[in-house]
Amino acid sequence: MKLQASILLALALTACEATEERSANTSQPEAIRTTPTRTDIVADARKRHAVERHFPGDQKDTLLANMVTFIYKRPTTAINRDRTDPEFRAYYVKHAGSFDHVYHHMSADSTHWFYLIRPSRSVEGDKRGVGGRFRTNDKLAMLDFEEIFNTRILTEAELLDRGLVLFEEMVATGNVDAFLQDKDLIEWPDGRLFYSKEKREWRYVD
């Protein structure tokens, strides 16, 4: 009887150890999978804040070209007040392909908030981020357009990651004042340059 009891006890202990080992082997990968990386967070944000959720199909392309009309440099033959004239449309449509509409949000009052990665030729690099807001009519024309910030020239990974922080701050508060002292992140506004909604461009303080 004692021998039989010993065998049964040994079998029970072996079964417990096997169960614990299986549990350990399955729980550790699960823990790793559920810990999001910054890459995961950015990828999820791009889905949640995709412009297609508000402007599907060809609408998103039309919208981007309309935004680029206000953001990108004017053609050499255009002046500020006529940049939206039909003769310049092809110019902005062409350059819209160099922009990446990364994050977009529409608030309850129909204000649209955006964050784009835009071309910016410089010895420091060729891309920067720009965030702002606007309203639109049923033809997707820009109303009350305003750029709120431009980042410094950064790597694409930094523009996606740190741009998400700026975008969410802008949507939550209407500005990025909390980050204006970070000169490694924000280039404009900087005390010298401000965005003029009337002129629809960045201007030097008088």
Side-chain angles (χ1 to χ4, degrees), residues 32-77:
I32 293 173
R33 286 196 299 270
T34 57
T35 302
T37 64
R38 287 303 302 175
T39 301
D40 295 331
I41 292 170
V42 167
D44 177 69
R46 294 205 70 166
K47 293 177 182 177
R48 288 187 291 108
H49 297 302
V51 64
E52 291 89 345
R53 300 184 66 175
H54 308 283
F55 299 96
D58 293 341
Q59 286 187 350
K60 70 173 185 177
D61 298 326
T62 299
L63 182 78
L64 181 59
N66 291 348
M67 296 166 69
V68 169
T69 300
F70 289 90
I71 296 171
Y72 198 59
K73 61 184 178 182
R74 300 190 303 271
T76 55
T77 56

Side-chain angles (χ1 to χ4, degrees), residues 8 12-13 17-18 61 91 96 106 109 126 147 180 189 192 203:
L8 291 174
L13 291 174
E17 291 173 357
D61 298 326
Y91 170 86
M106 185 176 73
D109 64 355
D126 61 1
E147 289 184 47
L180 291 183
R192 298 178 302 113
R203 308 281 291 187

